[in-house]
Amino acid sequence: MSPEDLDQADDMDGEDGGAQEILLREAAGLLRELGYTGPLSNEDDLLRSCESGAACQLFTSLCVWLVSELKSVSNLEDNVSPTEGPADSETFQLEMSGVISELHCPCTSLTSNNVTSRLLKPANCLQLIVFLSTELEAARLLKKSNVSTSEPVRHNEDVLYELRLLGKALDLPEISPDVPVTELMRDLENKITELSGMVQMSSPLFKAQLEPEQWETLQELHYSMLKEYECRMRMLVTRFDVTVQSFHWSERAQLKEKSMNEVYSPLRKSLRAESGITIPHLLAAREDYSRILHTCNATTCQKTRSAIQKMLMTGTVPDRGGRPNEIEPPMPTWEKRREGGGKSQHWGKRNKRKRT
């Protein structure tokens, strides 16, 4: 490993940023779904092993486990051998290059540049784990689909929950955990095709064909927008909490504090700072979403008008002032509020320093 490669690995924090955090979460989630229970199940341990890259035995052992699992459910020919120390890092990267080539990896960060310097950045190591995990997940699904449909298949609880929501939205019968995957997907596809012919849908809003580098850029933009949304939402929620707290200051509110909390607590718990919008939402959006409808037009107000909107203020609206540029010195005289009156305070002009 050359000094230039080490310097490149040290500079990875500023280059990857949000994309590395996204890859870390995705890699850890995929490993949990695949049933991995090794020493890198924790995100912190996984990141530390990726920082050392091919020189870390824990990282190479994880890759060996993924490749061996992949060979057991697919026709993969290439293989990688376990390493015994940093001296075997180059050999490991050469063997992993053959596996990646056989799987036709679309990630340019894993297929370009020098073979022995690809797994020096944590982002590239995480990208490799994500790629191998998705390939393993897909291979397992394909193997299950080739099994006889009479054999019952137990679905993951999270997947089953999402499928039940989908079935409820499509007005399908209750989905059983023992339904084979092929039969379930066929029923969903038929129902969606049937409903698509009955409802007029506009064209997709997003029609572009993106390259792997563009997908990575899109993920970074999505991560930045999630952070921006979370920051703004936390600010609004904090303002809301402070406003509600101010209502508890009065003596009457203190007597009704319990009943107020019973109404407020469920509403407050429903306010989440994290956004649930994902990239699949972008892919599913239609051209109708790009049309801006004014909420005050006549058509919309016919359906949304309430008694509050029908109230009109009569007479001239009072001018509350508050414009600093219209206030001229000297400032007005203020009088203390005391019983029997009190001395008034007069505010005079401040001495201005003469310019020389």
Side-chain angles (χ1 to χ4, degrees):
M1 188 182 299
S2 63
E4 292 78 6
D5 293 337
L6 291 174
D7 293 338
Q8 185 180 8
D10 292 337
D11 295 337
M12 63 86 191
D13 291 331
E15 296 177 1
D16 296 323
Q20 178 175 306
E21 187 172 349
I22 294 176
L23 289 172
L24 177 61
R25 294 179 181 177
E26 187 177 2
L30 287 170
L31 291 175
R32 286 192 295 268
E33 293 177 2
L34 293 172
Y36 175 75
T37 57
L40 301 184
S41 301
N42 184 273
E43 289 188 7
D44 296 335
D45 297 334
L46 179 60
L47 180 59
R48 280 194 292 268
S49 68
C50 291
E51 289 175 351
S52 300
C56 178
Q57 285 185 272
L58 293 177
F59 171 75
T60 56
S61 298
L62 174 59
C63 294
V64 169
W65 180 81
L66 290 172
V67 173
S68 62
E69 289 290 317
L70 190 58
K71 288 178 66 68
S72 65
V73 292
S74 66
N75 297 324
L76 182 66
E77 295 182 359
D78 285 300
N79 193 15
V80 288
S81 304
T83 61
E84 297 180 358
D88 298 335
S89 61
E90 293 188 0
T91 304
F92 173 80
Q93 293 186 79
L94 290 172
E95 293 179 348
M96 183 57 68
S97 176
V99 174
I100 292 174
S101 300
E102 184 179 350
L103 294 174
H104 304 285
C105 178
C107 305
T108 55
S109 59
L110 300 176
T111 57
S112 59
N113 300 326
N114 188 5
V115 177
T116 58
S117 62
R118 294 172 184 172
L119 299 180
L120 296 179
K121 293 183 178 181
N124 291 356
C125 296
L126 291 170
Q127 185 68 67
L128 175 63
I129 294 175
V130 170
F131 172 71
L132 294 177
S133 299
T134 52
E135 288 293 315
L136 175 58
E137 198 170 34
R140 286 180 177 179
L141 289 174
L142 290 175
K143 185 176 181 180
K144 286 183 179 180
S145 64
N146 293 331
V147 179
S148 176
T149 56
S150 60
E151 182 180 349
V153 179
R154 303 293 299 182
H155 305 298
N156 183 276
E157 290 297 329
D158 295 337
V159 176
L160 184 60
Y161 174 74
E162 296 294 336
L163 290 175
R164 283 175 177 172
L165 291 179
L166 179 59
K168 185 177 180 180
L170 297 176
D171 198 18
L172 289 174
E174 182 71 17
I175 297 177
S176 173
D178 299 330
V179 175
V181 176
T182 53
E183 181 180 347
L184 177 60
M185 299 306 296
R186 183 173 59 251
D187 293 342
L188 291 175
E189 183 179 0
N190 294 337
K191 187 64 176 181
I192 293 175
T193 304
E194 178 185 352
L195 295 177
S196 300
M198 299 171 57
V199 180
Q200 294 182 354
M201 299 178 62
S202 60
S203 301
L205 182 61
F206 185 79
K207 307 183 182 68
Q209 296 290 336
L210 300 182
E211 299 295 332
E213 299 85 354
Q214 294 175 318
W215 281 111
E216 294 178 1
T217 303
L218 181 61
Q219 285 186 338
E220 293 180 1
L221 292 174
H222 176 63
Y223 176 78
S224 300
M225 295 182 70
L226 289 181
K227 286 294 184 182
E228 179 72 15
Y229 174 87
E230 182 177 351
C231 178
R232 292 175 179 268
M233 191 61 183
R234 289 187 184 278
M235 179 186 65
L236 292 176
V237 171
T238 302
R239 288 181 175 178
F240 178 59
D241 291 336
V242 173
T243 303
V244 173
Q245 289 176 6
S246 65
F247 286 99
H248 290 267
W249 294 345
S250 64
E251 296 180 358
R252 184 182 178 187
Q254 293 177 1
L255 298 176
K256 297 182 176 294
E257 183 176 2
K258 183 178 180 180
S259 58
M260 293 173 65
N261 290 331
E262 290 178 354
V263 177
Y264 167 71
S265 296
L267 298 176
R268 176 62 181 86
K269 291 179 180 179
S270 63
L271 297 177
R272 298 179 55 189
E274 298 80 10
S275 173
I277 302 299
T278 60
I279 292 182
H281 287 92
L282 171 64
L283 302 178
R286 299 289 165 174
E287 290 182 346
D288 299 342
Y289 287 10
S290 62
R291 300 174 186 173
I292 301 176
L293 300 178
H294 297 283
T295 57
C296 59
N297 60 16
T299 305
T300 305
C301 288
Q302 288 179 357
K303 300 179 180 180
T304 61
R305 188 180 298 276
S306 63
I308 298 177
Q309 293 174 314
K310 294 181 180 179
M311 295 181 60
L312 299 176
M313 295 184 65
T314 58
T316 305
V317 179
D319 187 0
R320 299 172 59 186
R323 293 175 287 274
N325 60 333
E326 297 181 2
I327 300 177
E328 298 180 359
M331 296 182 67
T333 301
W334 298 90
E335 198 171 291
K336 290 184 178 180
R337 295 183 179 180
R338 295 179 180 176
E339 295 183 2
K343 295 182 179 180
S344 60
Q345 294 181 348
H346 296 275
W347 296 77
K349 297 182 179 179
R350 297 182 179 179
N351 295 329
K352 296 182 179 181
R353 183 178 299 177
K354 295 183 180 179
R355 298 182 180 177
T356 56

